[in-house]
Amino acid sequence: MMTETQLLVWLRGPALQVAIAIFVVGVAVRLLEVLVLGRKADLAEARGSAVAGGMRTILMRSFPDRATLQRAAFTEITGYIFHIGFFVTLLFYAPHILLFNSALGISWPALPTPVIDATAVVTIITLVAVLIHRLTNRVMRFLSRFQDYLVWLLTILPVVTGYIAFHRIGVTPPILIAIHIISVELFLIVFPFTKLMHAFTLFMSRYYNGAIAGYRGVKS
Amino acid sequence: MSKDNTLGEILRKQGVSRRGFLKFCAATASLMALPPGMAPVIAQALEKARRPSVIWLSFQECTGCTESLTRSYSPTVEGLIFDAISLDYHHTLMAASGTAAEAAREAAMEQSYGNYILVVDGSIPTRNAGFSTIAGVSNRDMLLDTARGAAAIVAVGTCAAFGGIPHANPNPTGAVSVSDLIKDKPIINVSGCPPIPVVITGVLAHFLTFGAIPDLDSHGRPVAFYGKSIHDRCYRRPFYDRGLFAESFDDEGAKSGWCLYKLGCKGPTTYNACATTKWNEGTSFPIESGHPCLGCSEPDFWDGGGFYKAISTPTEDIGRTAVYAIGGGAAAGLALGAINRAKRNKAEKEHEQVTIDDLEKGD
């Protein structure tokens, strides 16, 4: 049987390699499939710059929109909170930066662990609120499919397991860290084949939307 | 020293004052996380305890564990208590050798059959009995034979507790731990490479006081000493929490005593009492001397992915994996894209115009 140490070394080594390979190949294939298909040539005369319009929309859609805020305040605010929280814990926790540094060769300063700790708690609470909203709002529930719940689970798991591993609740730390790594590897493996792909495709769809409007010389 | 003398009598003969003895009992009680009220109970029990017979077997080991316990520092109450046990067989420390030594072991076994404590350091080879023998007896046979009459077994050091360095990949001798071979006796794992001296005296004191083995964790180690991780008790922990790390062994961070996590410290995954009891009469412990914890009290610590690699970093070259994956993914993506385009073009070509008349004809 595998000991805790062997399990951890396997998860940090071969298992991570497989997960990264599936993630990268999957994302590359899905993005290229869309890009290679191309778009129909617009035969109308250009009234503005498609590129400028596209770029502008990529940027502007990152900021909250007043009309949406009025219509769906809860979705918009919780959306911002858990996305920012997720990325802060992912990118500014010192051990995570070491991981990026060893894989990509780049490094940046870390945030103090109490800040990361608090951010993780806020992220978890917000994600739970998002799920409750999805379950209680009739329209949301009607629109939700299995994959929406799967993606929610895959997103909250790394945060929860990381939080538990940091606070050493329950089993031994190597097992806690192993569970955390497994949750991340699952996230990576499933990512390219689910709605999680929005992390990449959102830029493409925003660009296309903006480019169409930009070409016509209208606001997107 | 007669075996019939109690520990109290022996200690007094050795010049240990009542005050010094009680201080030791109080310290032991607090070390083992017992309520302070237990100190007099420990004192009373130890006072009256007869010298327990101890048989010490050394197998595939480096003698570091024995060194740690015997050469630690000037005599202390712990040291004297250790002297006060009847160490009937220890082939490194005993004067006798060969047949005489083995006769001493057999005599001790016979005299206190069912009551002696068996201490083991070193792992046991299983691939070939000839890899390690004592007086012509294989380690495995000697362990099984001696364990039969033991009241309890103390596996001292990581080799005896978990296999240690002989068990490290590729494990040429097929080394195993004591608990791999013995299933029917209480085994206390006092791991560490080497273990802290006061931990073994603490375990013995507990056994003498309560006549039972202490609470053990999932690795069979006394919770009192292995209940907290090095990281949780580390004096450098505040630097970890503030995100201040030494980047190399001689940078400003290292000189300022910042956290050694980035230099590969295994403190977060290692359970031992180093950070509290410390070494060399409480002088310091490895992290205090500026070196990351190697995790020596944990199973398979030799194969944990590198002593100087941070726990959160991959053990393989992930960057290269990603580069290959990008290449493979790009090729696959382009190929699939081309197939999709061809499909679309074919569909466009096969597109036929249908008029109202055509549709009406179908009726």
Side-chain angles (χ1 to χ4, degrees):
Chain A
M1 222 194 78
M2 230 183 197
T3 64
E4 287 177 2
T5 310
Q6 285 166 336
L7 174 68
L8 207 51
V9 167
W10 181 74
L11 286 172
R12 287 164 60 199
L16 184 61
Q17 278 181 310
V18 170
I20 292 274
I22 293 174
F23 172 78
V24 173
V25 169
V27 168
V29 165
R30 290 208 56 191
L31 289 182
L32 280 169
E33 262 194 311
V34 177
L35 290 172
V36 169
L37 212 49
R39 296 174 64 76
K40 266 192 179 157
D42 194 335
L43 301 176
E45 194 181 326
R47 293 195 176 178
S49 163
V51 176
M55 289 302 178
R56 187 182 159 277
T57 306
I58 289 183
L59 182 72
M60 293 314 287
R61 294 249 171 114
S62 298
F63 299 106
D65 166 63
R66 182 169 295 181
T68 320
L69 207 53
Q70 277 163 357
R71 263 186 292 120
F74 180 85
T75 309
E76 179 128 7
I77 292 168
T78 50
Y80 272 102
I81 294 175
F82 89 74
H83 275 94
I84 292 169
F86 188 87
F87 280 108
V88 166
T89 46
L90 171 66
L91 297 176
F92 292 101
Y93 181 47
H96 295 168
I97 297 173
L98 286 184
L99 170 67
F100 289 113
N101 186 27
S102 70
L104 307 171
I106 48 169
S107 191
W108 52 87
L111 280 173
T113 49
V115 175
I116 300 293
D117 197 22
T119 313
V121 172
V122 170
T123 309
I124 293 167
I125 292 171
T126 314
L127 277 167
V128 170
V130 163
L131 180 70
I132 292 170
H133 181 241
R134 189 182 277 283
L135 289 169
T136 51
N137 184 300
R138 289 178 64 192
V139 178
M140 288 284 281
R141 201 173 60 216
F142 178 72
L143 291 171
S144 298
R145 293 284 172 269
F146 168 74
Q147 203 196 97
D148 296 288
Y149 298 107
L150 174 73
V151 160
W152 176 88
L153 185 70
L154 288 171
T155 308
I156 199 170
L157 271 183
V159 192
V160 171
T161 57
Y163 180 82
I164 292 173
F166 179 73
H167 289 281
R168 304 143 180 287
I169 304 160
V171 286
T172 63
I175 292 293
L176 290 175
I177 295 172
I179 293 170
H180 178 55
I181 298 177
I182 290 171
S183 75
V184 173
E185 287 170 358
L186 270 179
F187 181 88
L188 287 173
I189 290 169
V190 179
F191 185 100
F193 314 106
T194 56
K195 293 182 177 182
L196 290 170
M197 264 304 281
H198 77 277
F200 292 98
T201 50
L202 77 91
F203 297 106
M204 288 159 75
S205 56
R206 279 182 190 176
Y207 179 83
Y208 282 150
N209 276 324
I212 293 165
Y215 192 80
R216 293 177 185 165
V218 294
K219 232 175 134 184
S220 83
Chain B
M1 256 183 283
S2 157
K3 244 189 205 149
D4 298 329
N5 284 349
T6 63
L7 260 179
E9 289 163 353
I10 293 161
L11 289 174
R12 264 186 294 285
K13 259 188 212 159
Q14 303 230 17
V16 175
S17 68
R18 175 93 189 135
R19 186 185 168 82
F21 177 64
L22 283 175
K23 257 173 83 180
F24 165 76
C25 294
T28 305
S30 86
L31 252 178
M32 295 193 294
L34 298 170
M38 286 309 289
V41 179
I42 295 176
Q44 236 174 11
L46 288 183
E47 277 274 1
K48 287 191 194 136
R50 307 270 158 193
R51 302 175 65 207
S53 174
V54 171
I55 296 176
W56 185 304
L57 300 178
S58 302
F59 298 139
Q60 292 190 130
E61 47 84 43
C62 68
T63 314
C65 296
T66 303
E67 290 281 346
S68 165
L69 293 166
T70 55
R71 268 206 227 185
S72 47
Y73 32 85
S74 55
T76 59
V77 181
E78 297 99 292
L80 288 175
I81 288 222
F82 191 65
D83 289 345
I85 61 171
S86 173
L87 191 53
D88 291 327
Y89 177 87
H90 185 310
H91 70 219
T92 312
L93 298 179
M94 69 200 306
S97 65
T99 314
E102 293 316 301
R105 180 174 65 86
E106 278 153 23
M109 281 173 65
E110 209 171 296
Q111 267 173 26
S112 3
Y113 196 85
N115 297 315
Y116 58 83
I117 298 172
L118 172 60
V119 180
V120 180
D121 67 337
S123 63
I124 304 99
T126 55
R127 200 152 287 169
N128 182 328
F131 282 151
S132 176
T133 61
I134 297 159
V137 181
S138 76
N139 289 171
R140 192 169 182 278
D141 290 346
M142 187 173 282
L143 174 65
L144 294 180
D145 184 41
T146 317
R148 219 162 283 142
I153 301 174
V154 184
V156 168
T158 301
C159 291
F162 309 125
I165 193 170
H167 180 268
N169 192 26
N171 191 1
T173 63
V176 295
S177 67
V178 173
S179 54
D180 284 332
L181 292 175
I182 297 184
K183 306 285 179 196
D184 58 347
K185 293 278 174 189
I187 298 173
I188 308 164
N189 285 331
V190 182
S191 63
C193 192
I196 305 168
V198 72
V199 173
I200 187 155
T201 50
V203 169
L204 290 175
H206 186 284
F207 190 79
L208 294 175
T209 308
F210 301 104
I213 63 170
D215 284 343
L216 304 177
D217 68 6
S218 57
H219 288 309
R221 302 175 295 194
V223 176
F225 300 105
Y226 297 88
K228 289 282 174 192
S229 75
I230 300 290
H231 189 58
D232 288 338
R233 286 282 177 270
C234 185
Y235 77 105
R236 295 195 190 213
R237 177 65 184 268
F239 293 110
Y240 173 87
D241 288 333
R242 281 161 60 194
L244 298 174
F245 299 94
E247 304 282 341
S248 72
F249 284 102
D250 54 358
D251 67 358
E252 273 313 303
K255 283 172 195 158
S256 317
W258 290 359
C259 177
L260 303 171
Y261 186 91
K262 287 191 177 180
L263 296 173
C265 187
K266 302 293 180 288
T269 52
T270 304
Y271 279 58
N272 207 339
C274 299
T276 36
T277 62
K278 303 196 176 178
W279 290 80
N280 299 324
E281 227 162 341
T283 306
S284 67
F285 69 113
I287 292 173
E288 205 169 342
S289 328
H291 194 281
C293 167
L294 301 180
C296 76
S297 56
E298 296 301 313
D300 293 322
F301 80 98
W302 292 99
D303 299 320
F307 288 160
Y308 301 102
K309 214 168 202 176
I311 307 166
S312 68
T313 57
T315 51
E316 303 285 342
D317 190 347
I318 294 300
R320 187 187 290 188
T321 308
V323 168
Y324 287 142
I326 286 176
L334 289 173
L336 279 168
I339 294 170
N340 290 341
R341 274 185 91 105
K343 224 189 254 174
R344 188 182 62 185
N345 292 341
K346 195 174 161 225
E348 270 170 17
K349 253 185 223 152
E350 286 169 1
H351 185 83
E352 283 172 24
Q353 295 276 337
V354 180
T355 65
I356 289 281
D357 297 336
D358 293 335
L359 291 173
E360 280 178 348
K361 251 183 256 167
D363 283 340

